[in-house]
Amino acid sequence: MKEQLYTIPVNDAFDTDCECPLCHIKRDLENEAIEFVMGPSYMQDDIRAETDKIGFCARHIDMMYKSNNRLGLALMMNTHNDRVIENIRLLTKDGAPKKKGLFSGKGNQEESPVLEFIHKLDTSCYVCDKINHTFDRYVATIFHLWKKDSNFITKFKNCKGFCTHHFGVLYKEADTLSGKSREEFLNALTEVYLTNMDRVNGDVSWFIDKFDYKNENAPWKNSRDALPRGIIKTNSTFIDD
C-alpha cells in the first residue's frame, strides 16, 4: 500500500524500538504541541482567546516553563488569569445566581456556579485538546491500515506491544471493525499485548532478583533498563535518564 501523509507517523511509530507505538505517537504530538504553543502562535488572537479560556494542565505548564520562551508563557498566563479573575469576581458577587451544582452533595442543595467554573478549569488544557484531536485521527488510521495494508498487519503483530492504557484504547476502538476482521484484530492485539507484558515483567522480576546476593555475579540479561520500560507499559510514561 502506498503511504499517504496521514499514515507515515503511524508506520514510523510501529517501526521504532518502543514498548508502545501509541505512546511514541503521543509523545511526538505532545512535543510538537508545546513547540507550537510556545512559538509565534501565542501572539495570534484566535489562539490566545482559546488559551485564555481553557488554560493548561499541570504537566503541560511545567513543560512550557522548561521551554526557552518565558516571556511567551508569562503573557499567556497573565491574560488567562485576567479572565479567571474576571469570572470569579462575577460569580462570587452578592446576588450571583445559584443553582443545583455539580458539587452540591445533596440533591436539593443549591450553590454558586463558581465551583463548576473551577472544575472546568481543572479539567481543561489547550495542549491536551490539541494532542487528543490529532491522536484520535492516528488511532483511526491504525484501523484503516489494518483493513488495507497486509504489511502493516505483519508490523503490528511483530511490534513490542502496548501499554495497558493504549491496549484499552485499541480494544475499545476495535468496534469500528466488524465480523472476522474485528475478531482477528482483537486476537492479534491481545496476543501482542500479553506476550510483551510478560516479557517486560519478566525483565522487571530479574531486575529484582539481581539485588539478591546469590545473583550478584549472574548476568543482567535484559533487565538493566527494565524499570523505565515497565513504566511505559504500566503508566504510558517515558522516563528520561
Side-chain angles (χ1 to χ4, degrees):
M1 176 180 172
K2 185 177 180 180
E3 279 201 310
Q4 305 294 327
L5 188 61
Y6 59 89
T7 66
I8 292 173
V10 173
N11 272 307
D12 285 350
F14 276 85
D15 284 334
T16 61
D17 185 34
C18 177
E19 294 294 350
C20 178
L22 273 72
C23 284
H24 181 89
I25 290 171
K26 200 148 196 177
R27 183 176 65 170
D28 283 352
L29 289 174
E30 184 175 55
N31 290 334
E32 290 167 7
I34 292 294
E35 185 178 345
F36 171 82
V37 79
M38 296 308 295
S41 66
Y42 70 87
M43 294 302 294
Q44 298 175 20
D45 290 342
D46 57 335
I47 302 296
R48 192 67 158 273
E50 284 297 303
T51 60
D52 286 351
K53 178 182 177 182
I54 297 172
F56 303 96
C57 68
R59 171 179 171 81
H60 291 136
I61 204 76
D62 178 64
M63 291 182 69
M64 291 162 68
Y65 181 77
K66 290 173 181 175
S67 72
N68 294 318
N69 188 356
R70 300 285 173 86
L71 175 59
L73 177 58
L75 288 167
M76 284 184 284
M77 182 184 297
N78 183 242
T79 53
H80 169 69
N81 284 337
D82 281 344
R83 184 185 176 97
V84 171
I85 291 166
E86 179 183 2
N87 277 277
I88 295 292
R89 182 168 284 127
L90 288 171
L91 292 170
T92 55
K93 269 186 176 181
D94 289 341
K98 310 287 184 181
K99 66 177 181 179
K100 289 181 181 178
L102 184 63
F103 305 93
S104 59
K106 297 179 180 179
N108 60 354
Q109 183 179 348
E110 293 184 344
E111 66 180 351
S112 168
V114 64
L115 294 181
E116 293 189 23
F117 172 73
I118 293 172
H119 175 73
K120 287 179 181 178
L121 285 179
D122 287 343
T123 55
S124 65
C125 172
Y126 178 84
V127 174
C128 286
D129 288 353
K130 187 172 179 61
I131 293 167
N132 291 336
H133 175 72
T134 307
F135 182 78
D136 289 346
R137 286 163 43 203
Y138 285 146
V139 170
T141 299
I142 290 172
F143 292 97
H144 169 77
L145 288 168
W146 180 269
K147 291 184 287 186
K148 301 289 186 180
D149 189 348
S150 60
N151 290 329
F152 177 77
I153 293 175
T154 301
K155 190 181 297 188
F156 184 99
K157 292 179 177 179
N158 291 328
C159 78
K160 287 190 167 183
F162 305 93
C163 69
T164 300
H165 172 71
H166 289 133
F167 166 74
V169 168
L170 292 174
Y171 202 96
K172 178 182 178 181
E173 293 303 314
D175 286 345
T176 59
L177 302 173
S178 60
K180 186 177 179 181
S181 181
R182 178 179 181 276
E183 181 182 353
E184 290 176 348
F185 178 84
L186 287 176
N187 287 340
L189 172 65
T190 303
E191 174 67 21
V192 76
Y193 167 75
L194 290 175
T195 297
N196 286 283
M197 281 292 285
D198 282 340
R199 171 181 56 81
V200 173
N201 212 35
D203 291 342
V204 173
S205 293
W206 183 243
F207 178 86
I208 295 167
D209 289 344
K210 273 292 292 174
F211 285 84
D212 188 326
Y213 75 94
K214 292 181 292 186
N215 296 317
E216 182 179 359
N217 296 318
W220 279 92
K221 302 179 184 178
N222 293 321
S223 69
R224 287 188 183 275
D225 64 343
L227 211 50
R229 288 189 290 112
I231 289 171
I232 293 174
K233 293 292 193 190
T234 307
N235 295 96
S236 313
T237 301
F238 287 89
I239 302 297
D240 295 320
D241 293 330

